[in-house]
Amino acid sequence: MIRAGAAALRAWSRGRGWAALSTAPPAPPAVLEPRKGLSPEEPPVASPVLRSCSVPVPSPLSPVQAWVGSLRHPQDTLRGLADLHPDVFAVTPRLDILHTVATWQKNFRRISYARVRTRAEVRGGGRKPWRQKGSGRARHGSVRSPLWRGGGIAHGPRGPTSYFYMVPMRVRVLGLKVALSVKLMQDELHVVESLELPSSDPQELLELARARHWGHSVLLVDTNEFPENISAAAEGLKSITLIPALGLNVHSLLKHQTLVLTLDAVAFLEQRLLWHDSRYSPLVPFSLPHRDLPGAA
Amino acid sequence: MAAVRALRVAVRQRPGLGPAGLRALWGGRSRKEERAVEAAGVVPEQEERSEPSLNQPPPRRRSFVPPEDLQSCLESHVREVFGPSVPQDWQQAPLQEKRLKHRLLAGLAAELGLAVPNSQLHHMRRAGDVLGFYRSPVSGGSKMDELAAAELPPNLKIVWQQ
């Protein structure tokens, strides 16, 4: 017994661990049997990916639909069918709201730093250059008036100017809904079950976009994190952009020709954008902490 | 003295607060690196634009011409998908259930080579709507392709460039 124990300890120290202590004979190597039924060329037929709206659709409206594809293969476009909420993806195409929100996005961050000197700020020009009458020249009070070369500017830009203004939150939300609806109705919106790529080659991603006729710029949206392959592939490309669903905005939607959403992103957007239809007006601005904002803020 | 000299050397070795230092701080590439990359020759990610030419390139999208046996093909698909629950008039078969709708439309797309686009999917409520969709031919090219295919006067030429 002591000898068996010593042998076991020696086996353990050789690194075989718990397997060294078992007394059963070692199992024969597993033989891979050829799979019957499915030939290796045919991929297994997957059940279709069907998605219904998480937020209930009120009765006269019916959901709009989109194909659910995947990025694994250029021809893998008809994997399933997703229902999209009509109050997000089928609103009236209000181009004026798109213009309002896109202009707001461009301008609200703008601070113009242009500043020029007025006649009071230009160096010099305190003395009357010549007497008022009798010299034959035009009458002037200062060599730095706006009429003079080198003089101040009369109505020029004055100091850092802010163009900040806010468009109501509901209008911005409606802008997003209109942009998404327009993308869907112009056949530029595609739904994908996840953004997993077979490889991280940028050329393959471009070939996939080309084969599916996605246009010259593609916007890929996912909820939180992107898989490594697609982040690596889209890193150096200028025409393919990845953004998280929180960063979706009207300017990016209009700038890129095609929009590709994952199913998670669709659910996120529906939940967030539809909350505003049925919320109370805030007693306190939303920028302060609230307990019941959507997304568990 | 030696300590002060060592400190001065250490300070000189760091990029410092100049433009190069700030660029390094914010994660950009230094001018030497950028010149090296340019010299190596950046592989263009997009296809280079081809020379303008008079030869028309092939159309981007495939055109679709509805086959003659469209109705019978559709009917067989509908009967196969719906099974025994097909109503009397197969064109009135409802497509409310997503599973059946997906099966029918995916099967038709695979057979006819044209899938219903996303904007039309919610119009497909009955099998008759699907029939109406597949009856209309789809031209593969754009307006320019149609113009090029039409009769043009001899002094009008179209120059193509990708």
Side-chain angles (χ1 to χ4, degrees):
Chain A
M1 212 179 72
I2 298 176
R3 258 181 252 142
L9 272 174
R10 253 180 274 128
W12 185 295
S13 62
R14 252 180 270 131
R16 283 181 57 224
W18 286 105
L21 296 183
S22 73
T23 45
V31 175
L32 277 173
E33 288 170 7
R35 266 199 309 180
K36 290 164 199 158
L38 278 175
S39 57
E41 286 96 30
E42 278 173 28
V45 175
S47 58
V49 177
L50 301 170
R51 183 227 173 226
S52 45
C53 287
S54 41
V55 181
V57 178
S59 90
L61 305 169
S62 61
V64 275
Q65 287 173 331
W67 291 107
V68 176
S70 90
L71 299 180
R72 293 191 186 93
H73 188 68
Q75 268 74 49
D76 193 8
T77 47
L78 307 180
R79 210 170 248 246
L81 208 57
D83 267 353
L84 305 172
H85 202 285
D87 278 335
V88 173
F89 288 92
V91 297
T92 320
R94 292 281 305 269
L95 300 185
D96 62 319
I97 294 207
L98 283 183
H99 173 265
T100 307
V101 179
T103 323
W104 168 77
Q105 260 189 275
K106 189 175 162 187
N107 287 336
F108 84 105
R109 275 178 274 223
R110 179 178 169 211
I111 300 181
S112 146
Y113 296 97
R115 183 190 187 104
V116 293
R117 296 184 197 279
T118 54
R119 63 183 289 172
E121 290 166 355
V122 177
R123 184 95 173 153
R127 184 175 59 210
K128 194 169 169 65
W130 45 79
R131 56 183 191 275
Q132 178 82 2
K133 297 185 75 65
S135 66
R137 288 173 285 187
R139 51 192 178 178
H140 286 291
S142 135
V143 293
R144 301 298 191 200
S145 91
L147 272 56
W148 283 67
R149 174 194 177 278
I153 306 290
H155 293 293
R158 292 298 295 158
T161 323
S162 155
Y163 291 82
F164 174 79
Y165 67 104
M166 288 308 283
V167 158
M169 190 188 279
R170 288 186 226 247
V171 175
R172 285 177 271 143
V173 165
L174 184 57
L176 267 178
K177 291 177 182 171
V178 169
L180 289 169
S181 310
V182 163
K183 283 290 178 208
L184 178 65
M185 287 308 144
Q186 293 184 335
D187 282 329
E188 285 162 353
L189 185 131
H190 302 276
V191 178
V192 148
E193 53 175 350
S194 75
L195 290 180
E196 279 161 10
L197 279 185
S199 75
S200 64
D201 187 14
Q203 285 305 317
E204 285 201 20
L205 189 53
L206 285 174
E207 285 298 320
L208 181 93
R210 194 116 203 262
R212 293 201 185 175
H213 307 296
W214 273 355
H216 46 252
S217 46
V218 183
L219 191 61
L220 297 157
V221 182
D222 198 357
T223 329
N224 284 325
E225 286 170 3
F226 294 92
E228 289 174 4
N229 276 347
I230 196 144
S231 328
E235 184 99 16
L237 293 179
K238 282 190 183 169
S239 60
I240 300 191
T241 319
L242 305 179
I243 51 167
L246 268 177
L248 196 61
N249 59 87
V250 168
H251 178 266
S252 299
L253 284 174
L254 293 175
K255 185 81 176 170
H256 294 80
Q257 206 174 352
T258 316
L259 173 68
V260 176
L261 297 169
T262 51
L263 289 175
D264 295 331
V266 170
F268 176 88
L269 286 170
E270 280 185 356
Q271 187 209 357
R272 288 285 192 122
L273 295 178
L274 287 169
W275 178 73
H276 291 276
D277 285 345
S278 59
R279 65 170 168 88
Y280 292 110
S281 297
L283 298 172
V284 152
F286 282 122
S287 47
L288 296 175
H290 279 249
R291 212 185 312 166
D292 53 352
L293 282 179
Chain B
M1 272 312 291
V4 171
R5 216 180 298 138
L7 202 69
R8 264 197 223 139
V9 163
V11 163
R12 227 177 283 138
Q13 275 169 5
R14 271 191 296 117
L17 291 174
L22 289 177
R23 210 180 293 130
L25 174 69
W26 293 110
R29 290 197 289 200
S30 69
R31 282 208 196 114
K32 279 188 201 161
E33 281 178 39
E34 283 187 2
R35 250 180 268 149
V37 165
E38 271 177 37
V42 180
V43 175
E45 82 221 7
Q46 309 280 356
E47 286 176 10
E48 286 162 7
R49 297 194 129 226
S50 57
E51 296 285 318
S53 76
L54 287 171
N55 306 325
Q56 182 178 356
R60 290 260 171 101
R61 254 170 293 152
R62 269 190 319 183
S63 57
F64 172 74
V65 170
E68 265 94 40
D69 60 340
L70 177 68
Q71 188 141 356
S72 56
C73 171
L74 246 152
E75 189 173 345
S76 62
H77 269 268
V78 168
R79 288 193 194 280
E80 182 196 328
V81 166
F82 279 80
S85 61
V86 176
Q88 278 297 323
D89 183 10
W90 65 271
Q91 293 199 17
Q92 298 299 317
L95 293 176
Q96 297 305 328
E97 222 196 276
K98 283 196 285 290
R99 193 170 290 273
L100 300 175
K101 187 169 183 177
H102 172 263
R103 212 170 136 202
L104 175 69
L105 292 179
L108 282 174
E111 175 148 346
L112 299 170
L114 175 72
V116 181
N118 287 340
S119 53
Q120 310 277 341
L121 268 177
H122 67 286
H123 288 307
M124 308 280 131
R125 292 205 196 122
R126 298 186 184 286
D129 302 329
V130 182
L131 178 66
F133 171 78
Y134 277 109
R135 267 208 181 122
S136 49
V138 171
S139 74
S142 59
K143 284 284 174 206
M144 291 305 295
D145 293 311
E146 283 171 35
L147 255 183
E151 274 275 325
L152 291 175
N155 56 347
L156 183 65
K157 301 269 182 270
I158 300 181
V159 178
W160 297 91
Q161 184 181 26
Q162 286 287 346

